[in-house]
Amino acid sequence: MLDQILSFFESVDSPVTQAVYATLFTWGLTALGASFVFFFKTMNRAIFDGMLGFTGGVMVAASYWSLLAPAIELSENAGGIPWVPAALGFAGGALFLFGLDKVMPHLHINFKKEEAEGVKTDWHRSTLLVLAITLHNIPEGLAVGVLFGGVAAGFDGATLGGAVALAIGIGIQNFPEGMAVSMPLRRQGLSRWKSFNYGQLSAIVEPVAAAFGAWAVMTFQPILPYALAFAAGAMIYVVVEEVIPETQRDRYTDVATLGFIGGFIVMMVLDVALG
């Protein structure tokens, strides 16, 4: 199966198209998760926190194995100071998300309406929830696109297997994200169809971000180490600022921690096996 997936991506000439296909897969798993709202109105909180923890583990593992480590390797091969692009890009990605977090109105899952962040607005709670997950998905799509762009540019350390592994890992953790958006909306009284549509819509930004990331790397090839680290910094910011706090608001913190460990292992295995 994995060989067939790699063969499919090898048959696609354009890295932008490869990135879009990969993130359509991640979007599809978000939609699949959101579709559970047709069968369930609520989810056991322990399962929910465990899945959120899993999401955080995947993102942290991907940030190192798929993004930071290749960025450092690329810098070493180029003869520069290996930690400089990684450090600058990582800081830039975190600051970029910090800026968006302060400007874009959004509300984290399980938070009260008065705890909404960003510019103050009277937007509906459902809109704020979707915006929070959309903000979360920007660095994920960007990471996939940057890696596919690096593969097409022929950079050592950027492999097609690694790019596919990243897309698979992000897709797996997008599945619970779809449920995490749609089910709270259903509890608020929205119809099943509206809850589903909001849930899957939160990930539609990923193909856009992926296409931009692949194009940017192909057009400005020297930025690849910085771009990889940028995506890593943005993802880590999301984990620390959003995902982990959400798992610590109930009594299932141990379950969330085990979920985090599981997600980290799955992403690490995927990257090492395919990368």
Side-chain angles (χ1 to χ4, degrees):
M1 175 65 77
L2 291 176
D3 288 339
Q4 293 172 334
I5 294 172
L6 289 173
S7 297
F8 168 76
F9 280 101
E10 287 172 351
S11 68
V12 179
D13 293 332
S14 168
V16 173
T17 306
Q18 288 177 330
V20 170
Y21 281 155
T23 45
L24 285 175
F25 164 75
T26 65
W27 166 79
L29 285 185
T30 305
L32 181 63
S35 71
F36 273 57
V37 77
F38 292 112
F39 310 102
F40 307 99
K41 188 173 182 178
T42 60
M43 180 185 296
N44 180 278
R45 183 58 194 258
I47 296 174
F48 182 81
D49 284 348
M51 289 194 302
L52 277 182
F54 182 91
T55 293
V58 168
M59 293 178 72
V60 169
S63 295
Y64 176 73
W65 295 98
S66 299
L67 300 170
L68 276 178
I72 294 170
E73 183 178 346
L74 287 169
S75 300
E76 287 179 329
N77 293 339
I81 303 173
W83 58 265
V84 170
L88 292 179
F90 191 86
L95 290 173
F96 174 72
L97 259 292
F98 173 80
L100 283 183
D101 195 63
K102 297 303 179 187
V103 174
M104 181 185 290
H106 61 284
L107 177 66
H108 298 313
I109 302 165
N110 296 320
F111 281 49
K112 298 177 181 178
K113 176 68 180 292
E114 54 269 22
E115 296 179 277
E117 300 178 4
V119 175
K120 298 301 178 184
T121 178
D122 58 357
W123 291 350
H124 194 273
R125 190 174 190 273
S126 59
T127 303
L128 296 174
L129 278 171
V130 173
L131 285 175
I133 300 298
T134 301
L135 188 67
H136 180 154
N137 286 332
I138 291 173
E140 295 175 2
L142 187 63
V144 172
V146 164
L147 210 47
F148 274 106
V151 173
F155 286 102
D156 292 334
T159 66
L160 182 61
V164 171
L166 178 61
I168 292 174
I170 287 177
I172 291 172
Q173 61 96 34
N174 273 6
F175 176 78
E177 281 185 8
M179 288 188 283
V181 177
S182 61
M183 288 190 175
L185 296 179
R186 178 64 180 147
R187 288 199 301 271
Q188 292 174 31
L190 271 70
S191 69
R192 288 184 173 89
W193 271 109
K194 280 189 175 181
S195 300
F196 167 76
N197 283 329
Y198 276 127
Q200 60 85 24
L201 187 64
S202 64
I204 203 64
V205 69
E206 288 189 2
V208 177
F212 173 77
W215 169 84
V217 168
M218 290 297 297
T219 306
F220 310 103
Q221 293 188 14
I223 72 168
L224 179 59
Y226 297 90
L228 289 169
F230 182 96
M235 289 175 68
I236 292 296
Y237 184 91
V238 168
V239 172
V240 176
E241 198 273 338
E242 177 183 340
V243 177
I244 291 177
E246 288 171 10
T247 67
Q248 305 301 302
R249 293 173 68 87
D250 211 309
R251 61 184 184 277
Y252 301 109
T253 57
D254 289 346
V255 175
T257 302
L258 292 175
F260 183 98
I261 298 299
F264 189 98
I265 291 171
V266 167
M267 187 64 236
M268 179 180 66
V269 170
L270 280 172
D271 191 83
V272 174
L274 292 176

